[in-house]
Every structure is written in C-alpha cells, then in structure tokens.
Amino acid sequence: DAKTTQPPSMDCAEGRAANLPCNHSTISGNEYVYWYRQIHSQGPQYIIHGLKNNETNEMASLIITEDRKSSTLILPHATLRDTAVYYCIVRGYTGGFKTIFGAGTRLFVKA
Amino acid sequence: SQTIHQWPATLVQPVGSPLSLECTVEGTSNPNLYWYRQAAGRGLQLLFYSVGIGQISSEVPQNLSASRPQDRQFILSSKKLLLSDSGFYLCAWSPHPRDRGTYEQYFGPGTRLTVT
C-alpha cells in the first residue's frame, strides 16, 4: 500500500472549515484513499473514502486531486468535538487485508 | 445496523497472569476482523486479522494469540502477560471486500489494559 504524508498538527477556529491535507504520491490505480479520526481515549472512527471522484457524506468532504497524488479532508464547520487525530490511509487489494495507520494529523479546534 | 462490542472496558492484571479479551460484531456476516494495540501516545499497531472462522494471521511476533471460534467473535489471549503488553486494545471489523470491494474499518470502544 502507498505511503501517506500528513502534517503532524493543525489548528482551526470553531465554526470555520478545517482542511486536512494528505500526500500520497505513490498511489496506484486500484488504491482507495481512506480517512479516519481518533478522539482521545476512543477507538478510531471511519469518516470517508474515495477512489478518484470527490466524495461527501454527513461528516466530511474528500477532495482528491486529478492525478490522485494528494487529497484534502474538509470538515465544513469544525466544532470543539472535532478535535482529534486524523489518519489518511491509502490501500487496495494488494497487501492482503492490512490497514496500516501512520501518525496522522492532530487537529485542535479552538473556541 | 452493525455494532461492535468489546469487553471489558478496562482491565488491570499482574505480570504473568493470563488474558482474554473478547470482541463480537452484530448486524453483519462474514466480516474481516482485526486486533490492534495502541501504546500510550503512539499509533495503532496491527496484531492479528482474520478473514474467516479459524483463520488467523499474525502481524507481530509476541506472546499474544487470537482465535475466531465463531463468525462474529474474535478473542485475544495471552498465557502470561508482560509489562510491555499494557496498552489500548482495539477490535475492528470490515466488510468482506468481495461484498463491497473496499476496506473501511469500524472500531470497537477498546479495552485499556494495565499490566502491573
């Protein structure tokens, strides 16, 4: 599975959009981009995934660049409860069923 | 809808004692199941995964073992705990890829284990 690179931490003001970037320049054609988040002392929570089209659900939007080498997770109106570590993961069928979580981005939403 | 349960929520065990953590999934069939460990302030480490009853793959050599006696039950065990086994243990499930072709995982609430 392709490796991802994320900034270690980011700040966002409450009510503003939080844009979390992820680089995955070695992504291959059959690999999806997944985003999870982990709030302190809880298990990770699946947020969204996509292949090449932009995706939106009730939690967030996922924007994938045309060359698929990077993506951005957008929380449109961040709240204090969105403070968490956000993980960007790229994976496909090769490599079996493993999902490897990196260090992620620690997002601080401030009042 | 699908739900995943883990118990106990917290556990304090002495070194050398046995361990049994249980995970069950409801509302789905033939899921892939996973055990992760997260040390304090660290990332998630995949320990085991299972694609079916009795099928276990180990990712990291250690004194832990896993079993899947039923389709939606996953058990993590140890015969003798070490201090280094302390951590936050997370069970997760994902739909079988042939059903959806993707691998999103859904995590349980976790078990916080302290080995003293």
Side-chain angles (χ1 to χ4, degrees):
Chain A
D1 296 327
K3 181 179 177 179
T4 62
T5 303
Q6 298 177 255
S9 66
M10 294 181 63
D11 290 344
C12 178
E14 188 179 21
R16 305 295 295 269
N19 298 287
L20 294 97
C22 180
N23 286 323
H24 31 81
S25 58
T26 60
I27 192 170
S28 62
N30 67 348
E31 291 182 318
Y32 286 76
V33 180
Y34 294 81
W35 283 85
Y36 295 80
R37 73 178 182 184
Q38 187 174 22
I39 296 170
H40 183 63
S41 296
Q42 297 182 23
Q45 178 188 23
Y46 163 77
I47 301 174
I48 198 167
H49 74 275
L51 185 62
K52 52 185 177 181
N53 297 322
N54 297 338
E55 303 286 345
T56 295
N57 62 20
E58 64 279 4
M59 291 183 66
S61 295
L62 173 60
I63 308 298
I64 302 173
T65 58
E66 191 170 344
D67 63 8
R68 303 209 322 125
K69 293 184 177 182
S70 65
S71 61
T72 301
L73 180 75
I74 301 173
L75 308 179
H77 305 286
T79 70
L80 298 178
R81 289 175 296 178
D82 291 322
T83 293
V85 177
Y86 287 77
Y87 299 98
C88 169
I89 295 161
V90 171
R91 66 151 304 152
Y93 182 73
T94 55
F97 300 96
K98 297 180 286 185
T99 293
I100 308 300
F101 286 77
T105 295
R106 189 171 295 275
L107 175 68
F108 296 94
V109 181
K110 301 181 177 180
Chain B
S1 63
Q2 300 86 7
T3 54
I4 179 168
H5 304 279
Q6 281 186 251
W7 64 90
T10 60
L11 190 60
V12 180
Q13 293 282 97
V15 167
S17 64
L19 173 74
S20 181
L21 302 181
E22 189 163 345
C23 170
T24 58
V25 181
E26 296 177 357
T28 188
S29 60
N30 195 29
N32 291 337
L33 296 173
Y34 310 81
W35 278 112
Y36 288 86
R37 177 172 59 200
Q38 188 172 36
R42 307 289 294 275
L44 281 80
Q45 179 186 35
L46 178 64
L47 301 176
F48 301 95
Y49 67 92
S50 171
V51 301
I53 295 174
Q55 301 179 63
I56 308 294
S57 295
S58 174
E59 289 299 302
V60 181
Q62 60 215 318
N63 69 323
L64 299 171
S65 62
S67 61
R68 183 170 178 175
Q70 301 180 43
D71 181 45
R72 290 169 289 177
Q73 183 184 30
F74 206 22
I75 297 172
L76 183 70
S77 304
S78 173
K79 293 182 179 178
K80 289 186 177 182
L81 283 169
L82 307 173
L83 286 174
S84 57
D85 291 324
S86 293
F88 191 40
Y89 287 82
L90 290 153
C91 180
W93 75 273
S94 66
H96 200 281
R98 69 162 172 262
D99 296 337
R100 297 235 286 267
T102 57
Y103 297 85
E104 67 269 24
Q105 293 185 330
Y106 301 93
F107 286 78
T111 295
R112 193 161 301 279
L113 171 67
T114 303
V115 182
T116 60

